Amino acid sequence: MTDTAPSPLLLAPRADGRAPGALHVLLVLVRFEARRWWLRPTGWIQTAVYLAAVAGIGGAAVLQAASAAPGAVADPTELLMAPFVMHLLFASAGVILTAQGAIVGERHDGTAAWVLARPVGRPVWLASKGLALLGSFVVSSVVLPLAALQAVWTFGGMAMTPTQLLVAGLAMSLTVAFWLAVTLLAGTLFDSRGAVSGLAFGTLFVLIQVGQRWTGLLPSGIPFELGRWLHDGTPMAVTGLVLTVGLALATAALATHRFSRMDL
Amino acid sequence: MSVPLALRTDDLVKRYGGAAVLDGVDLRVARGTITGFLGPNGAGKTTTLKSILGLVRPDAGRIRLFGEDVATAGPALRSRVGWLAQEPRVHGHLTAREALRHALRLSRTTADDEAAERVEASLELVGLSDRADRAVRGFSGGERQRLGLAQAWIHRPELLILDEPAASLDPMGRRDVLRILERLRAETTILFSTHLLDDVERVADAVAILDRGRLRLQCSMDELRASTQGATYHLVVQGAAMARLARLAELPWIERVVTERNGTELDVRVHVRDERKAETELLAALTEGGDVRVRSFALERPRLEDVFVHLTEGNAA
């Protein structure tokens, strides 16, 4: 503890900048959150898991198809959809486990209140959480695994066209966005991590069960639609994609509304 | 003369499950003052402070910061306020310097060079310059508290709201925090909650006492001292004093006399209405005749503690 007089800066006239705008605050928070993701081992561990699940399964599928006698593989679509189903399972679980504490954890340990006592709007804070997690998960579970999958499939002579690659990336990102929105909403409904992840995993389980039947309608049907399209060019159902985008946006809006009314 | 207010709450009400945690709180904080916000645990101090910051939504009432209604003003209004939580949380992986930078980025737009200067000045203010590049997770409780204070101050707010800034600290840490408040006195308006009466007496210009969600008292420390008119004289006497004390109690300038036997001595507290009269006549009235010996004589002023206990115990259910 020093006992010196305050520095001249402390005593200077108050002419220090202005309140930051919403975009400035959003960028500061997104950068801070994204840094946290990549600075922690869990970010890299999860990336390794997604690489193994998507490219590893995809690679195995290629090897199986290549080594099988003609006609031995009953449904080649299943082989093509396997990496995307793995992505649905692993990335959704990863999103739920990571995002379950985004609201509840930060409420409990006081860091949400610390940020929101500053000139930061609640929608901006929530958006920063969503965008940072979405960006991190898109890189970890979509971009890197998809690049690895393309490398493996190219080696096996099954490379995706640039359009297929782009559509696959967008569809996988949409899956991540949907489960992120669901988990954030659950974070505004409950006050414990267990309840938040319970609701999100329960929803995932139910949607996977029914998703195989109504692949063109539900968010969990996207991997199946994607596999079919890659195999025989059957167009993906627009209804399912539009519905998933709509559900993700509605869920995010509801989460924002709920969070704006919470006591911290 | 009206004093410009930094903060004003009107009829603030907050209920949890039907129970009123705040029950019509009308708090006033004048600009340029240090106000001690006193109350026993559970009185509603933290809820009041969080309501001011928009972290808790009141069920009724109005809060104005610098004349602007908190409910309708945007978040930009909070750039004029700094807050230290009761248990300040800082991301442990950050260094003190990074934590301050982060706090500043969220509170003000400043040029890089000015931001760097401001970080250094804040580190110096709280005595953490030598630990600036160490990870916060290794900090002691006192160091975290000082860092939290620096984060609250980094953007030079016009109002600093501190929730129990010294409650969990050892005497040295507490002394450090109070010194920082003294240094900031000329710079900003400070509202700090506490249940440590001594802290209020040491640094505050004004006091507000909250008990079970209701504001029991709000005034300047000068007004408080002036309002506690009268004084108490504490005497230790020997000899045949009882009859003399009984006659003393009938004098018009004496309010009451309280005695307690302590061996051969008598502990006497004389509460007087007229201090001047007591100064000139009390001893003479007691020792007249020479059969009473006064072994000690001291003036006791009413303390904030007396007022606090009177107000909070007096309203106990």
Side-chain angles (χ1 to χ4, degrees), chain A residues 1-2 4-6 10-12 14 16-20 24 32 109 116-120 122 263-264, chain B residues 14 50 54-57 75 78-79 83 89 91 105-109 118 124 151 153 156 176 183 187:
Chain A
M1 184 71 209
T2 57
T4 55
L10 279 169
L11 301 171
R14 197 180 301 279
D16 11 281
R18 55 195 163 75
H24 169 91
F32 183 79
D109 68 20
L116 291 166
R118 295 177 182 276
V120 179
R122 293 192 184 200
D263 285 340
L264 297 171
Chain B
K14 179 67 185 175
K50 284 190 164 185
L55 299 173
V56 165
R57 293 164 59 90
R78 292 197 293 273
S79 69
W83 179 52
R89 301 290 179 176
H91 295 288
R105 282 193 195 106
L106 290 175
S107 308
R108 290 269 176 187
T109 53
R118 196 161 294 289
E124 185 213 322
Q151 284 185 314
W153 170 248
R156 296 200 60 222
D176 290 346
R183 289 176 71 177
E187 297 287 314

Side-chain angles (χ1 to χ4, degrees), chain A residues 77-123:
Chain A
T77 310
E78 281 190 5
L79 293 179
L80 290 171
M81 71 174 57
F84 304 110
V85 173
M86 286 299 115
H87 175 263
L88 170 68
L89 294 175
F90 282 86
S92 304
V95 165
I96 292 168
L97 289 173
T98 305
Q100 63 172 335
I103 294 176
V104 174
E106 297 232 11
R107 273 182 72 198
H108 285 180
D109 68 20
T111 43
W114 183 86
V115 173
L116 291 166
R118 295 177 182 276
V120 179
R122 293 192 184 200

